[in-house]
């Protein structure tokens, strides 16, 4: 069975319609998993990724070193103008970046500017305020999940846990022409794989903000929640579901 990322990246590739030697730009590319998926399917494609985490870019460079087409991975603050010429890009992709930006509409304007006429963009964002997790007491679970949706860890300039559900409207309000909206739900009865990574992210992020004295929940609450999920998982009572909203649009 494909992993969540494999399924998501397949959808990016299907919806981006990239020509064989086309240029795809990943905004907030992180460690480059989506670009690597494009490279496997389209070995001659030109792959560009922007992120401001040097560590993530180093991993992406290693991951893409054997790609046959041109690869450019550069540090870039995506709150600012993209370092790309008008109408120069065939496809733009971006996953789980927009909530970090105080003005996501600005980036959508930039995407429209750099896409060639007919070029496509595929955006995906999990709706973190809609996480479904069963295993901990209800009140505690609500506090933890809402804190995760609302809290901005140190590496994010802002946080909008509801950006997933807002994504179709944001694109509609931009100069891009929205063509397609779908959801990808990842679910699991095991505290393993994507579910374990996300639960670990939640725990790590909330513990870090609690330690900085800025948390919306206490470190003890986070650990109580985590222990309850582990116990539930051992007893077969754990369930997890995360919804990613995927929106495709064109530059006309
Ligand atoms: C949740 S990660 C997603 C990474 C990748 N798209 C993926 O799906 O695996 C968000 C990424 O956005 C980057 N990021 C956040 N704010 C940024 C900004 N203002 N400029 C550039 N990159 C930013 C982070 O460094 C991080 O790599």
């Amino acid at each position: 069975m494909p992993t969540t990322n494999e399924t998501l990246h397949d959808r990016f590739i299907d919806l981006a319609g990239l020509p064989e030697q086309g240029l795809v730009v990943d905004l907030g590319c992180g460690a480059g998993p989506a670009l690597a998926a494009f490279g496997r399917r389209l070995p001659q494609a030109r792959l560009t990724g922007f992120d401001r985490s040097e560590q993530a870019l180093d991993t992406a460079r290693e991951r893409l070193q054997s790609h046959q087409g041109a690869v450019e991975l550069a540090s870039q603050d995506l709150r600012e103008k993209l370092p790309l010429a008008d109408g120069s890009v065939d496809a733009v992709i971006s996953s789980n970046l927009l909530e970090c930006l105080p003005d996501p509409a600005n980036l959508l304007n930039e995407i429209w500017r750099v896409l060639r006429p007919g070029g496509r963009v595929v955006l995906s964002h999990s709706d973190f305020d809609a996480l479904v997790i069963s295993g901990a007491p209800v009140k505690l679970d609500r506090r933890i999940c809402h804190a995760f949706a609302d809290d901005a860890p140190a590496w994010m300039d802002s946080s909008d846990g509801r950006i997933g559900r807002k994504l179709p409207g944001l694109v509609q309000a931009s100069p891009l022409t929205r063509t397609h909206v779908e959801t990808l739900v990842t679910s699991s009865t095991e505290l393993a794989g994507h579910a374990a990574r996300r639960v670990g992210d939640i725990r790590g992020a909330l513990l870090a903000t609690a330690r900085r004295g800025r948390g919306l929940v206490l470190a003890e609450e986070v650990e109580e929640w985590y222990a309850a999920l582990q116990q539930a998982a051992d007893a077969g009572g754990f369930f997890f579901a995360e919804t990613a909203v995927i929106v495709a649009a064109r530059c006309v």
Side-chain angles (χ1 to χ4, degrees), residues 196-219:
R197 279 192 294 281
R198 185 62 75 211
V199 166
D201 286 347
I202 296 172
R203 182 182 178 216
L206 294 181
L207 285 177
T209 43
R211 285 193 194 111
R212 280 162 47 221
R214 304 193 30 239
L216 300 174
V217 288
L218 301 171

Side-chain angles (χ1 to χ4, degrees), residues 28-30 33 51-53 76-78 95-97 100-101 155 157:
C29 62
D51 204 287
R52 69 174 178 191
S53 160
Q76 171 70 26
D77 187 340
L78 293 165
S95 157
N96 285 349
L97 164 77
C100 311
L101 306 179
W155 61 273
D157 299 303

Side-chain angles (χ1 to χ4, degrees), residues 22-25 46 83-92 111-117:
L23 170 62
V24 59
V25 177
R46 290 172 288 144
L84 295 163
D86 295 2
S88 60
V89 175
D90 296 296
V92 171
I111 292 171
W112 176 77
R113 179 183 69 76
V114 302
L115 278 176
R116 66 166 166 75

Side-chain angles (χ1 to χ4, degrees), residues 5 8-9 12 26-34 50-54 56-57 63 75-80 93-102 124-125 128 155-158 198:
N5 264 350
L8 179 63
H9 298 155
F12 274 154
D26 187 350
L27 301 175
C29 62
F50 293 123
D51 204 287
R52 69 174 178 191
S53 160
E54 288 295 346
L57 288 169
R63 188 176 232 155
S75 182
Q76 171 70 26
D77 187 340
L78 293 165
R79 292 172 297 179
E80 291 169 7
I93 56 167
S94 185
S95 157
N96 285 349
L97 164 77
L98 286 181
E99 75 157 335
C100 311
L101 306 179
S124 163
H125 218 298
F128 292 114
W155 61 273
M156 286 163 68
D157 299 303
S158 71
R198 185 62 75 211

